Amino acid sequence: MYVCLCQGVTDGQLREAIYEGCCSYREVREATGVASQCGKCACVAKQVVRETLGEL
Ligand code: FES
């Protein structure tokens, strides 16, 4: 599903960024561009990152 409509970033892409080495929300944001425009997706994006990091 799309987490960020402005940048067209999906939850899968956020997870992928973590599997490829990102280890914080900041790094995921820099790698994917998520939440870099209107910022409305930040809350959900953070949640996905937190859940994914918790699973690793
Ligand atoms: Fe992600 Fe706007 S929906 S920055």
Side-chain angles (χ1 to χ4, degrees):
M1 85 187 173
Y2 277 104
V3 171
C4 178
L5 292 178
C6 295
Q7 298 289 338
V9 181
T10 63
D11 60 335
Q13 281 171 280
L14 298 181
R15 294 206 179 90
E16 197 63 29
I18 290 166
Y19 299 147
E20 283 171 5
C22 291
C23 52
S24 68
Y25 171 67
R26 220 188 87 198
E27 287 181 11
V28 171
R29 201 184 57 195
E30 282 165 8
T32 62
V34 75
S36 60
Q37 283 192 34
C38 76
K40 280 189 189 139
C41 57
C43 213
V44 178
K46 275 183 199 159
Q47 202 181 319
V48 172
V49 169
R50 214 178 298 130
E51 279 172 15
T52 308
L53 288 174
E55 282 167 12
L56 296 178

